[in-house]
Amino acid sequence: MRSFSFGILAFSVFLFLNGCYVPPSPKPNALAPSGDSAETAPDSGAEAETDQDDAIYQTITLSLTTPSGGWSLQPLEAYQLEHENLILWQLTAPNGPSISMISEVSATLRLPGPERDLQHFVLGKTWKWESNPEVTFIEDRAELKDALADATELPFTSVD
């Protein structure tokens, strides 16, 4: 029993020293009145925020499931349509050998302005199964020609 406890302690120290320690998440305040709990709603992937200059911007994160590791995702263009924003993303296959295991890739960007509904279009998908139901996969940017006819291009900042 003593060697088992030492083994667990040694393993815990190993994880801590190698940066694998995950601190426990804060527990909700059980004494807080109803509605004032420390719990928060799950992240929707887009939220309006303000920066130091009190400018309003929207932070958007897109996550996709890929058939292997090594894929990358980058925002290419962003547009403001009449009722929503349209974002075009580029999915890029790995350049060399990669682990053959279903993986996830994500990218984040910041758009100026308040939170709006989003349309995500992604170039570069090579597999047949669905990756994210909120995304439309296209083969060529020309497929967006009609949708972008009256759109205004938006500046954006990639967030790593």
Side-chain angles (χ1 to χ4, degrees):
M1 180 71 175
R2 183 177 216 165
S3 64
F4 178 74
S5 297
F6 178 75
I8 291 175
L9 176 64
F11 184 69
S12 298
V13 170
F14 170 80
L15 289 176
F16 179 77
L17 293 176
N18 287 292
C20 299
Y21 174 74
V22 178
S25 60
K27 301 213 185 299
N29 184 351
L31 301 176
S34 177
D36 292 339
S37 172
E39 292 185 76
T40 58
D43 186 15
S44 65
E47 60 184 59
E49 302 174 14
T50 57
D51 61 11
Q52 295 96 357
D53 301 328
D54 289 333
I56 297 174
Y57 61 90
Q58 184 178 12
T59 301
I60 300 155
T61 300
L62 179 64
S63 296
L64 298 172
T65 302
T66 60
S68 62
W71 286 80
S72 63
L73 181 66
Q74 295 89 25
L76 291 179
E77 301 168 9
Y79 295 92
Q80 181 176 333
L81 305 176
E82 185 175 350
H83 300 288
E84 67 269 337
N85 289 337
L86 182 149
I87 303 169
L88 179 62
W89 304 82
Q90 178 66 56
L91 188 61
T92 306
N95 287 332
S98 64
I99 186 166
S100 293
M101 183 171 119
I102 293 178
S103 302
E104 186 173 288
V105 63
S106 65
T108 302
L109 64 86
R110 278 178 43 168
L111 288 175
E115 185 174 339
R116 299 183 64 168
D117 289 337
L118 300 170
Q119 290 186 35
H120 297 281
F121 290 87
V122 177
L123 294 164
K125 179 181 165 198
T126 60
W127 57 92
K128 303 281 186 226
W129 44 271
E130 279 301 314
S131 181
N132 183 330
E134 298 174 1
V135 174
T136 303
F137 294 95
I138 59 175
E139 293 185 24
D140 192 300
R141 188 189 178 284
E143 295 177 45
L144 299 176
K145 183 179 179 182
D146 293 337
L148 298 179
D150 296 325
T152 303
E153 189 164 2
L154 294 171
F156 66 86
T157 306
S158 291
V159 179
D160 290 340

